Amino acid sequence: MRAPRLEQVQGEVSAEHPAVGGARYGPGMTPTTSPRSREDHPVVAEGLVKRYGAVTALDGLDLAVPRGSVLGVLGPNGAGKTTAVRVLTTLLRPDAGRAVVAGVDVLADPAGVRRRIGVSGQYAAVDEQLTGTENLRMVGDLYHLGRGPSRARARELLERFSLTEAADRPVKTYSGGMRRRLDLAGALVAEPEVLFLDEPTTGLDPRSRLGMWEVISELVSGGTTLLLTTQYLEEADRLADSIAVIDTGRVIAEGTADQLKAQIGGERVELTVGRDADVATAREALHRAGAEDVSVDERARSLSAPVTGGTAALVAVLGALRETDAEVLDAGVRRPTLDDVFLTLTGRAAEDDAPDDGGTGGEAGGETSDAGGRGRRGRHRREGEAR
Amino acid sequence: MSSSTSASRTTAEADGRRSSGRPSPSPGGGLGQALGDGWTIAKRNLIRIKRVPDLLVGSIVSPIMFVLLFAYVFGGAITLPGADGSIPDPRAYREFLIAGIFAQTVIFGATITGSGMAQDLKTGIIDRFRSLPMAPSAVLVGRTTADVVNNVLTVVIMTLTGLLVGWRITTSVGEAVLGYLVLLFFAYCVSWIMAYLGLLVRTPEVFNNVTFIVIFPLTFIANTFVPLETFPTVLRVFAEWNPVSSVTQAARELFGNLQPGAPDPTAWPLQNPVLYSVLWGVVMLVVFVPLTVRQYQRAAAR
Ligand SMILES: Nc1ncnc2c1ncn2[C@@H]1O[C@H](COP(=O)(O)OP(=O)(O)OP(=O)(O)O)[C@@H](O)[C@H]1O
Ligand SMILES: [Mg+2]
């Protein structure tokens, strides 16, 4: 039922707007240069400004999400992600600028926007005392689905989010991940054509995060237009078609994950060897595996070189090293982190003022795998085992 | 204008395509839908009352405690004018007292609305509500309605306790029902003010402190627990025009609890207690329903 619909939607879009629907944002093409007509961009924000006293939360923010695609809004704490989502979902009036969501002006007809969107905010907005079923039925009733469909939809969503067993328990007995899933289910009750998710995986353990990613990927493959905020480059990389990096309320970079990575230097293979003599051998092996521009830290006996192809490059390097007698203590692929993005784009590190968020520390530290070829698997599996 | 029409047409088509065989939200609107949404929220709050019995226990136990404390601790010391000379008559005082306790308790019951609103703002559920295509008044209508149910339960408990200590309704069923209606209507109107305050202060704890400070004097500088004749002049004038007094007076009249031989009230509000109480209620609604709905939209948009 879902898949055919998706093809239909995307097929139509690409037929009408081959540039947008087909290539999405191809190399060298950024959303800023593509047309932002209401028909092919269900989310358009122009020059949004929101001030809180002396703090400027949004400082002329421009965003556009093409129909059926996913925009990842990436930024550190306080960048303005939540503020942007709240403006786009009619919860907050901007001081300046305009926004059109699902073809409807956010300021002129907020009720019209609300009928067409689903929102899952940064903090799960569910009623603790109500059960999962009661929460979803209430949302269905408030969308005016009618009694029967509202109940059926609640059952269906609980099933889809693996909450059937907990369906009749008050939400206060749910774990953080379960609450988050229930909140997301609430956003999907009316099958909205545009969906907003504000940091859907912050605070989730690796397994729940993977589960949430799967759910979101599935949703997106159903043709929903999605705006997703995150502090994790990996998450944007995995889920988004294009990424807008924001800082202090402004978009500071925009493009596909690959474009951004290219801009900040991409992946590096890192090696640490056991003996001083091994350093030269390792450098040799890196060259043979195609890695140029090797930088060496003699004292730490560690080497690092930019590569393309991530894991494959690592395997090639390790293959080359196996033919030598070098003692490899550590080897891995280091991928650019949000910190790298910020260092490159703003010349300063992403400030980390959310001590309650356990995930951020690991993120900022970068990622280096354990020794051996089994360190990092495909780029899409990596996140789950990273923490 | 034309571009927005074409945009909404496209969206409508997209809707139709996406939700074939699926429920789709009806555009709707109007009073019927606002009431429906209000009822949905009321159901939610009633479930909460059931699941979190602490509140209910509070609003049941405190009136029982009040009835017993006043009736048996102070009752012997308080002399009613017109009651037989200097000899205190505890039975007459209990008769006098119950309506006052009714009034005080339903007004305190109305504060639950405010702490509930503050609580909802704090937990973020209001964000969910505000992102849904529901009537902006629904959260408030639903909340205040559910709190009336809470107050009805409280009134039943108090009635039973009253009967236990010897209080009786001596009028017709119609008058008695009218008496209860005045109490509940007045409390309902107060609950809109409480909702407004709850949205203003945003913290349940602060709200509770604020209302305690305001409501205690309001319900004590009145004819609730002692006859007005004993008050110094300034307080007495305040008490005569205090709607809590008129609500109490209305209940006393309609339950047939006026003391035989007590002097007739000289102030207009107490001569026309039902009218005066209802007037106050209407004014509170006219002022605070729009004010509170606006504050709701504002508070949630911060
Ligand atoms: N209600 C408010 N009152 C005052 N300042 C606010 C308010 N809401 C947000 N801000 C400020 O606006 C800025 C942007 O906040 P916002 O919540 O949008 O950031 P964010 O990107 O979502 O951050 P996080 O990753 O921590 O969720 C911050 O500096 C914040 O302090
Ligand atoms: Mg945020």
Side-chain angles (χ1 to χ4, degrees), chain A residues 114-129:
Chain A
R114 287 178 201 140
R115 274 198 292 279
R116 294 174 169 85
I117 61 169
V119 192
S120 174
Q122 184 166 1
Y123 307 100
V126 288
D127 192 312
E128 296 268 300
Q129 304 298 341

mmCIF file with all atom_site columns, all heavy atoms in Angstrom, chain A residues 114-129:
data_model
loop_
_atom_site.group_PDB
_atom_site.id
_atom_site.type_symbol
_atom_site.label_atom_id
_atom_site.label_alt_id
_atom_site.label_comp_id
_atom_site.label_asym_id
_atom_site.label_entity_id
_atom_site.label_seq_id
_atom_site.pdbx_PDB_ins_code
_atom_site.Cartn_x
_atom_site.Cartn_y
_atom_site.Cartn_z
_atom_site.occupancy
_atom_site.B_iso_or_equiv
_atom_site.pdbx_formal_charge
_atom_site.auth_seq_id
_atom_site.auth_comp_id
_atom_site.auth_asym_id
_atom_site.auth_atom_id
_atom_site.pdbx_PDB_model_num
ATOM 1   N N   . ARG A 1 114 ? -1.409 23.023 10.558 1.00 0.00 ? 114 ARG A N   1
ATOM 2   C CA  . ARG A 1 114 ? -1.497 21.951 11.561 1.00 0.00 ? 114 ARG A CA  1
ATOM 3   C C   . ARG A 1 114 ? -2.208 20.719 11.029 1.00 0.00 ? 114 ARG A C   1
ATOM 4   O O   . ARG A 1 114 ? -1.924 19.607 11.438 1.00 0.00 ? 114 ARG A O   1
ATOM 5   C CB  . ARG A 1 114 ? -2.214 22.460 12.811 1.00 0.00 ? 114 ARG A CB  1
ATOM 6   C CG  . ARG A 1 114 ? -1.351 23.408 13.602 1.00 0.00 ? 114 ARG A CG  1
ATOM 7   C CD  . ARG A 1 114 ? -2.084 23.945 14.810 1.00 0.00 ? 114 ARG A CD  1
ATOM 8   N NE  . ARG A 1 114 ? -1.436 25.181 15.233 1.00 0.00 ? 114 ARG A NE  1
ATOM 9   C CZ  . ARG A 1 114 ? -2.086 26.248 15.656 1.00 0.00 ? 114 ARG A CZ  1
ATOM 10  N NH1 . ARG A 1 114 ? -3.398 26.227 15.757 1.00 0.00 ? 114 ARG A NH1 1
ATOM 11  N NH2 . ARG A 1 114 ? -1.433 27.326 15.999 1.00 0.00 ? 114 ARG A NH2 1
ATOM 12  N N   . ARG A 1 115 ? -3.188 20.940 10.147 1.00 0.00 ? 115 ARG A N   1
ATOM 13  C CA  . ARG A 1 115 ? -3.905 19.777 9.598  1.00 0.00 ? 115 ARG A CA  1
ATOM 14  C C   . ARG A 1 115 ? -3.000 18.926 8.732  1.00 0.00 ? 115 ARG A C   1
ATOM 15  O O   . ARG A 1 115 ? -3.271 17.773 8.498  1.00 0.00 ? 115 ARG A O   1
ATOM 16  C CB  . ARG A 1 115 ? -5.090 20.256 8.751  1.00 0.00 ? 115 ARG A CB  1
ATOM 17  C CG  . ARG A 1 115 ? -6.336 20.515 9.552  1.00 0.00 ? 115 ARG A CG  1
ATOM 18  C CD  . ARG A 1 115 ? -7.553 20.551 8.647  1.00 0.00 ? 115 ARG A CD  1
ATOM 19  N NE  . ARG A 1 115 ? -7.554 21.697 7.752  1.00 0.00 ? 115 ARG A NE  1
ATOM 20  C CZ  . ARG A 1 115 ? -7.950 22.914 8.116  1.00 0.00 ? 115 ARG A CZ  1
ATOM 21  N NH1 . ARG A 1 115 ? -8.383 23.120 9.356  1.00 0.00 ? 115 ARG A NH1 1
ATOM 22  N NH2 . ARG A 1 115 ? -7.939 23.913 7.273  1.00 0.00 ? 115 ARG A NH2 1
ATOM 23  N N   . ARG A 1 116 ? -1.913 19.507 8.226  1.00 0.00 ? 116 ARG A N   1
ATOM 24  C CA  . ARG A 1 116 ? -1.124 18.804 7.216  1.00 0.00 ? 116 ARG A CA  1
ATOM 25  C C   . ARG A 1 116 ? 0.216  18.310 7.716  1.00 0.00 ? 116 ARG A C   1
ATOM 26  O O   . ARG A 1 116 ? 0.951  17.681 6.975  1.00 0.00 ? 116 ARG A O   1
ATOM 27  C CB  . ARG A 1 116 ? -0.892 19.745 6.031  1.00 0.00 ? 116 ARG A CB  1
ATOM 28  C CG  . ARG A 1 116 ? -2.169 20.096 5.295  1.00 0.00 ? 116 ARG A CG  1
ATOM 29  C CD  . ARG A 1 116 ? -1.919 21.128 4.230  1.00 0.00 ? 116 ARG A CD  1
ATOM 30  N NE  . ARG A 1 116 ? -3.056 21.296 3.360  1.00 0.00 ? 116 ARG A NE  1
ATOM 31  C CZ  . ARG A 1 116 ? -4.082 22.110 3.635  1.00 0.00 ? 116 ARG A CZ  1
ATOM 32  N NH1 . ARG A 1 116 ? -4.085 22.804 4.767  1.00 0.00 ? 116 ARG A NH1 1
ATOM 33  N NH2 . ARG A 1 116 ? -5.091 22.210 2.797  1.00 0.00 ? 116 ARG A NH2 1
ATOM 34  N N   . ILE A 1 117 ? 0.559  18.640 8.963  1.00 0.00 ? 117 ILE A N   1
ATOM 35  C CA  . ILE A 1 117 ? 1.900  18.268 9.423  1.00 0.00 ? 117 ILE A CA  1
ATOM 36  C C   . ILE A 1 117 ? 1.842  17.321 10.620 1.00 0.00 ? 117 ILE A C   1
ATOM 37  O O   . ILE A 1 117 ? 0.814  17.173 11.273 1.00 0.00 ? 117 ILE A O   1
ATOM 38  C CB  . ILE A 1 117 ? 2.709  19.511 9.847  1.00 0.00 ? 117 ILE A CB  1
ATOM 39  C CG1 . ILE A 1 117 ? 2.009  20.226 11.009 1.00 0.00 ? 117 ILE A CG1 1
ATOM 40  C CG2 . ILE A 1 117 ? 2.926  20.437 8.671  1.00 0.00 ? 117 ILE A CG2 1
ATOM 41  C CD1 . ILE A 1 117 ? 2.848  21.304 11.668 1.00 0.00 ? 117 ILE A CD1 1
ATOM 42  N N   . GLY A 1 118 ? 2.955  16.680 10.884 1.00 0.00 ? 118 GLY A N   1
ATOM 43  C CA  . GLY A 1 118 ? 3.146  15.925 12.112 1.00 0.00 ? 118 GLY A CA  1
ATOM 44  C C   . GLY A 1 118 ? 4.411  16.441 12.778 1.00 0.00 ? 118 GLY A C   1
ATOM 45  O O   . GLY A 1 118 ? 5.366  16.796 12.093 1.00 0.00 ? 118 GLY A O   1
ATOM 46  N N   . VAL A 1 119 ? 4.395  16.522 14.104 1.00 0.00 ? 119 VAL A N   1
ATOM 47  C CA  . VAL A 1 119 ? 5.531  17.070 14.826 1.00 0.00 ? 119 VAL A CA  1
ATOM 48  C C   . VAL A 1 119 ? 5.911  16.154 15.972 1.00 0.00 ? 119 VAL A C   1
ATOM 49  O O   . VAL A 1 119 ? 5.053  15.677 16.707 1.00 0.00 ? 119 VAL A O   1
ATOM 50  C CB  . VAL A 1 119 ? 5.180  18.435 15.463 1.00 0.00 ? 119 VAL A CB  1
ATOM 51  C CG1 . VAL A 1 119 ? 6.444  19.110 15.953 1.00 0.00 ? 119 VAL A CG1 1
ATOM 52  C CG2 . VAL A 1 119 ? 4.423  19.316 14.514 1.00 0.00 ? 119 VAL A CG2 1
ATOM 53  N N   . SER A 1 120 ? 7.200  15.918 16.106 1.00 0.00 ? 120 SER A N   1
ATOM 54  C CA  . SER A 1 120 ? 7.678  15.291 17.329 1.00 0.00 ? 120 SER A CA  1
ATOM 55  C C   . SER A 1 120 ? 8.787  16.184 17.859 1.00 0.00 ? 120 SER A C   1
ATOM 56  O O   . SER A 1 120 ? 9.840  16.311 17.260 1.00 0.00 ? 120 SER A O   1
ATOM 57  C CB  . SER A 1 120 ? 8.180  13.878 17.027 1.00 0.00 ? 120 SER A CB  1
ATOM 58  O OG  . SER A 1 120 ? 8.768  13.324 18.163 1.00 0.00 ? 120 SER A OG  1
ATOM 59  N N   . GLY A 1 121 ? 8.502  16.846 18.971 1.00 0.00 ? 121 GLY A N   1
ATOM 60  C CA  . GLY A 1 121 ? 9.419  17.848 19.501 1.00 0.00 ? 121 GLY A CA  1
ATOM 61  C C   . GLY A 1 121 ? 10.621 17.223 20.189 1.00 0.00 ? 121 GLY A C   1
ATOM 62  O O   . GLY A 1 121 ? 10.739 16.003 20.297 1.00 0.00 ? 121 GLY A O   1
ATOM 63  N N   . GLN A 1 122 ? 11.508 18.094 20.657 1.00 0.00 ? 122 GLN A N   1
ATOM 64  C CA  . GLN A 1 122 ? 12.745 17.615 21.269 1.00 0.00 ? 122 GLN A CA  1
ATOM 65  C C   . GLN A 1 122 ? 12.463 16.800 22.529 1.00 0.00 ? 122 GLN A C   1
ATOM 66  O O   . GLN A 1 122 ? 13.168 15.848 22.829 1.00 0.00 ? 122 GLN A O   1
ATOM 67  C CB  . GLN A 1 122 ? 13.636 18.820 21.599 1.00 0.00 ? 122 GLN A CB  1
ATOM 68  C CG  . GLN A 1 122 ? 14.981 18.439 22.159 1.00 0.00 ? 122 GLN A CG  1
ATOM 69  C CD  . GLN A 1 122 ? 15.941 19.609 22.153 1.00 0.00 ? 122 GLN A CD  1
ATOM 70  O OE1 . GLN A 1 122 ? 15.603 20.709 21.751 1.00 0.00 ? 122 GLN A OE1 1
ATOM 71  N NE2 . GLN A 1 122 ? 17.151 19.373 22.607 1.00 0.00 ? 122 GLN A NE2 1
ATOM 72  N N   . TYR A 1 123 ? 11.442 17.195 23.280 1.00 0.00 ? 123 TYR A N   1
ATOM 73  C CA  . TYR A 1 123 ? 11.090 16.451 24.483 1.00 0.00 ? 123 TYR A CA  1
ATOM 74  C C   . TYR A 1 123 ? 9.729  15.814 24.247 1.00 0.00 ? 123 TYR A C   1
ATOM 75  O O   . TYR A 1 123 ? 8.790  16.487 23.840 1.00 0.00 ? 123 TYR A O   1
ATOM 76  C CB  . TYR A 1 123 ? 11.061 17.376 25.694 1.00 0.00 ? 123 TYR A CB  1
ATOM 77  C CG  . TYR A 1 123 ? 12.345 18.140 25.824 1.00 0.00 ? 123 TYR A CG  1
ATOM 78  C CD1 . TYR A 1 123 ? 12.450 19.458 25.404 1.00 0.00 ? 123 TYR A CD1 1
ATOM 79  C CD2 . TYR A 1 123 ? 13.478 17.503 26.308 1.00 0.00 ? 123 TYR A CD2 1
ATOM 80  C CE1 . TYR A 1 123 ? 13.651 20.141 25.474 1.00 0.00 ? 123 TYR A CE1 1
ATOM 81  C CE2 . TYR A 1 123 ? 14.691 18.173 26.379 1.00 0.00 ? 123 TYR A CE2 1
ATOM 82  C CZ  . TYR A 1 123 ? 14.771 19.493 25.972 1.00 0.00 ? 123 TYR A CZ  1
ATOM 83  O OH  . TYR A 1 123 ? 15.978 20.145 26.036 1.00 0.00 ? 123 TYR A OH  1
ATOM 84  N N   . ALA A 1 124 ? 9.662  14.517 24.510 1.00 0.00 ? 124 ALA A N   1
ATOM 85  C CA  . ALA A 1 124 ? 8.439  13.773 24.206 1.00 0.00 ? 124 ALA A CA  1
ATOM 86  C C   . ALA A 1 124 ? 7.229  14.449 24.841 1.00 0.00 ? 124 ALA A C   1
ATOM 87  O O   . ALA A 1 124 ? 7.206  14.707 26.041 1.00 0.00 ? 124 ALA A O   1
ATOM 88  C CB  . ALA A 1 124 ? 8.571  12.342 24.699 1.00 0.00 ? 124 ALA A CB  1
ATOM 89  N N   . ALA A 1 125 ? 6.238  14.769 23.999 1.00 0.00 ? 125 ALA A N   1
ATOM 90  C CA  . ALA A 1 125 ? 5.028  15.436 24.485 1.00 0.00 ? 125 ALA A CA  1
ATOM 91  C C   . ALA A 1 125 ? 3.902  14.419 24.575 1.00 0.00 ? 125 ALA A C   1
ATOM 92  O O   . ALA A 1 125 ? 3.028  14.358 23.735 1.00 0.00 ? 125 ALA A O   1
ATOM 93  C CB  . ALA A 1 125 ? 4.656  16.587 23.562 1.00 0.00 ? 125 ALA A CB  1
ATOM 94  N N   . VAL A 1 126 ? 3.990  13.585 25.601 1.00 0.00 ? 126 VAL A N   1
ATOM 95  C CA  . VAL A 1 126 ? 2.949  12.583 25.800 1.00 0.00 ? 126 VAL A CA  1
ATOM 96  C C   . VAL A 1 126 ? 2.431  12.729 27.221 1.00 0.00 ? 126 VAL A C   1
ATOM 97  O O   . VAL A 1 126 ? 3.103  13.274 28.079 1.00 0.00 ? 126 VAL A O   1
ATOM 98  C CB  . VAL A 1 126 ? 3.504  11.163 25.584 1.00 0.00 ? 126 VAL A CB  1
ATOM 99  C CG1 . VAL A 1 126 ? 3.765  10.916 24.115 1.00 0.00 ? 126 VAL A CG1 1
ATOM 100 C CG2 . VAL A 1 126 ? 4.789  10.935 26.370 1.00 0.00 ? 126 VAL A CG2 1
ATOM 101 N N   . ASP A 1 127 ? 1.210  12.255 27.450 1.00 0.00 ? 127 ASP A N   1
ATOM 102 C CA  . ASP A 1 127 ? 0.640  12.345 28.791 1.00 0.00 ? 127 ASP A CA  1
ATOM 103 C C   . ASP A 1 127 ? 1.071  11.143 29.612 1.00 0.00 ? 127 ASP A C   1
ATOM 104 O O   . ASP A 1 127 ? 0.758  10.005 29.293 1.00 0.00 ? 127 ASP A O   1
ATOM 105 C CB  . ASP A 1 127 ? -0.885 12.424 28.709 1.00 0.00 ? 127 ASP A CB  1
ATOM 106 C CG  . ASP A 1 127 ? -1.486 12.804 30.046 1.00 0.00 ? 127 ASP A CG  1
ATOM 107 O OD1 . ASP A 1 127 ? -1.093 12.198 31.077 1.00 0.00 ? 127 ASP A OD1 1
ATOM 108 O OD2 . ASP A 1 127 ? -2.328 13.712 30.088 1.00 0.00 ? 127 ASP A OD2 1
ATOM 109 N N   . GLU A 1 128 ? 1.807  11.419 30.675 1.00 0.00 ? 128 GLU A N   1
ATOM 110 C CA  . GLU A 1 128 ? 2.378  10.382 31.517 1.00 0.00 ? 128 GLU A CA  1
ATOM 111 C C   . GLU A 1 128 ? 1.338  9.444  32.124 1.00 0.00 ? 128 GLU A C   1
ATOM 112 O O   . GLU A 1 128 ? 1.605  8.272  32.339 1.00 0.00 ? 128 GLU A O   1
ATOM 113 C CB  . GLU A 1 128 ? 3.104  11.054 32.696 1.00 0.00 ? 128 GLU A CB  1
ATOM 114 C CG  . GLU A 1 128 ? 4.278  11.884 32.301 1.00 0.00 ? 128 GLU A CG  1
ATOM 115 C CD  . GLU A 1 128 ? 5.530  11.058 32.342 1.00 0.00 ? 128 GLU A CD  1
ATOM 116 O OE1 . GLU A 1 128 ? 5.862  10.537 33.416 1.00 0.00 ? 128 GLU A OE1 1
ATOM 117 O OE2 . GLU A 1 128 ? 6.150  10.896 31.272 1.00 0.00 ? 128 GLU A OE2 1
ATOM 118 N N   . GLN A 1 129 ? 0.196  10.002 32.446 1.00 0.00 ? 129 GLN A N   1
ATOM 119 C CA  . GLN A 1 129 ? -0.799 9.207  33.177 1.00 0.00 ? 129 GLN A CA  1
ATOM 120 C C   . GLN A 1 129 ? -1.643 8.360  32.245 1.00 0.00 ? 129 GLN A C   1
ATOM 121 O O   . GLN A 1 129 ? -2.244 7.380  32.658 1.00 0.00 ? 129 GLN A O   1
ATOM 122 C CB  . GLN A 1 129 ? -1.722 10.119 33.997 1.00 0.00 ? 129 GLN A CB  1
ATOM 123 C CG  . GLN A 1 129 ? -1.001 11.038 34.962 1.00 0.00 ? 129 GLN A CG  1
ATOM 124 C CD  . GLN A 1 129 ? -0.237 10.267 36.010 1.00 0.00 ? 129 GLN A CD  1
ATOM 125 O OE1 . GLN A 1 129 ? -0.505 9.094  36.254 1.00 0.00 ? 129 GLN A OE1 1
ATOM 126 N NE2 . GLN A 1 129 ? 0.733  10.905 36.629 1.00 0.00 ? 129 GLN A NE2 1
#
